[in-house]
Amino acid sequence: MNNVLIVFLAVLVMSAVVTTARIVWSRTLATRAVSFDVLTSIMICGFLVSAAITGDGLYLDLAVVLGLLGFLTAVTVSRFIERTGK
């Protein structure tokens, strides 16, 4: 079971690298905002897998807090894009 969780973490790291490359090379603000939201979701999944590996509840708290911050960031950026029209 532990090997499966380590494979999950490796896949999450690879997807984070691809998402970071998408953030760096994107041209529009909307694409970057979506990529940051995807990166936040990947980080949340990483915290959840880490909680499953270690059995520590602190990672669950961090995942909830990061989820709330990610939601607020996505709403704020989308309202900014809507108002400026970029």
Side-chain angles (χ1 to χ4, degrees):
M1 183 68 164
N2 206 8
N3 291 335
V4 173
L5 295 175
I6 291 172
V7 169
F8 284 158
L9 277 179
V11 170
L12 287 173
V13 167
M14 287 188 298
S15 61
V17 167
V18 171
T19 305
T20 304
R22 179 68 181 171
I23 291 169
V24 170
W25 289 310
S26 68
R27 296 181 191 266
T28 63
L29 182 61
T31 306
R32 286 185 182 153
V34 170
S35 297
F36 272 117
D37 196 33
V38 169
L39 189 61
T40 303
S41 298
I42 292 169
M43 290 172 59
I44 290 170
C45 291
F47 283 141
L48 295 177
V49 171
S50 297
I53 290 173
T54 62
D56 191 9
L58 178 65
Y59 291 115
L60 298 175
D61 295 337
L62 289 173
V64 169
V65 168
L66 188 60
L68 290 172
L69 286 175
F71 172 73
L72 289 175
T73 303
V75 169
T76 303
V77 170
S78 65
R79 288 182 56 101
F80 175 76
I81 292 172
E82 180 184 4
R83 289 189 180 182
T84 59
K86 290 184 178 185

